[in-house]
Amino acid sequence: SYVVTQTPSVSVAPGKTARITCGGNNIGSKSVHWYQQKAGQAPVVVIYYDSDRPSGIPERFSGSNSGNTATLTISRVEAGDEADYYCQVWDSSTAHWVFGGGTKLTVL
Amino acid sequence: EVQLVESGGGLIQPGGSLRLSCAASGFTVNSNYMSWVRQAPGKGLEWVSVIYSGGSTYYADSVKGRFTISRDNSKNTLYLQMNSLRAEDTAVYYCARDRADGTQHYWYFDLWGRGTLVTVSS
């Protein structure tokens, strides 16, 4: 089955740029979706299909996907962006939804 | 309002059974791909099972043969029957909807419930 891996934690100062990565074998050939989960809440999608942003998600959130790495970029980080972020793909070979292990974003 | 509301969680002994429910409003469960996703305490998200609009079902290897996903169209409700429960099944269980526009499916979750906690312990 397909495996996606994430760095467990990322720290960034307010106003700076955070980059959260999601690795997988030739992940660039798949569509990657990103969720934000704040403490005690359900996940919310912030990027879908590699780089599309749902309505209501700030333009500071962007995504890219190529080769073996997908990246969620958060520009001008704010304290309210502190959360766990998960990448997700759909594995067509098993018909399973696959999540990365999550990255905890800490705003210093 | 479009929403999902889970119920049925609780404390259960190892080896026991529990049925979770997810009541949908504002849309029709049987027209969508509906999944259960769980999150163990302090851990990440784990997809558990899906039921397609056509009725096909799929399961994560960790629950195959023990869990059964189903729906009641008259009640617009999704279920997860969990048997032979183990300590490692302890988690918050979310129901989630795969985004769809008509017959086009997008393979990510655009709607989540708030979750229900299942604790397997003696």
Side-chain angles (χ1 to χ4, degrees):
Chain A
S1 60
Y2 194 78
V3 176
V4 291
T5 58
Q6 296 182 240
T7 303
S9 63
V10 168
S11 299
V12 63
K16 300 299 185 182
T17 297
R19 292 180 179 85
I20 297 170
T21 60
C22 178
N25 183 33
N26 196 26
I27 198 171
S29 67
K30 297 181 178 298
S31 294
V32 177
H33 317 291
W34 292 92
Y35 300 87
Q36 176 193 69
Q37 185 181 34
K38 296 184 178 180
Q41 299 182 19
V44 173
V45 63
V46 292
I47 292 290
Y48 65 93
Y49 274 77
D50 298 338
S51 58
D52 289 340
R53 207 174 39 251
S55 60
I57 300 301
E59 291 184 6
R60 302 184 296 104
F61 288 79
S62 63
S64 63
N65 184 18
S66 179
N68 293 319
T69 304
T71 302
L72 171 69
T73 301
I74 309 172
S75 304
R76 303 181 299 283
V77 167
E78 303 173 357
D81 298 331
E82 190 162 278
D84 294 324
Y85 291 85
Y86 296 90
C87 60
Q88 177 251 308
V89 301
W90 187 71
D91 182 4
S92 59
S93 67
T94 58
H96 290 183
W97 282 252
V98 178
F99 289 96
T103 298
K104 181 177 181 59
L105 176 66
T106 300
V107 181
L108 301 172
Chain B
E1 181 185 4
V2 177
Q3 65 176 355
L4 296 167
V5 179
E6 301 94 336
S7 61
L11 175 63
I12 187 74
Q13 292 189 339
S17 297
L18 205 60
R19 189 179 80 158
L20 307 182
S21 300
C22 172
S25 55
F27 73 99
T28 305
V29 162
N30 65 3
S31 297
N32 288 269
Y33 297 175
M34 299 296 300
S35 281
W36 288 96
V37 177
R38 69 183 180 183
Q39 185 171 36
K43 302 298 184 181
L45 301 171
E46 179 189 16
W47 174 80
V48 173
S49 180
V50 65
I51 183 166
Y52 286 1
S53 52
S56 298
T57 59
Y58 294 87
Y59 299 90
D61 291 345
S62 58
V63 306
K64 193 179 298 182
R66 299 188 299 123
F67 290 11
T68 302
I69 190 171
S70 64
R71 66 192 180 207
D72 184 327
N73 297 338
S74 66
K75 296 182 179 180
N76 206 29
T77 298
L78 178 73
Y79 299 102
L80 186 68
Q81 177 68 43
M82 305 185 294
N83 299 330
S84 303
L85 282 161
R86 308 166 180 169
E88 54 265 35
D89 296 318
T90 294
V92 173
Y93 284 75
Y94 297 98
C95 62
R97 182 184 73 179
D98 190 83
R99 179 188 168 192
D101 294 327
T103 59
Q104 172 71 39
H105 291 273
Y106 291 84
W107 310 109
Y108 73 90
F109 303 115
D110 69 340
L111 181 67
W112 297 69
R114 298 183 69 176
T116 185
L117 176 62
V118 173
T119 303
V120 184
S121 175
S122 55

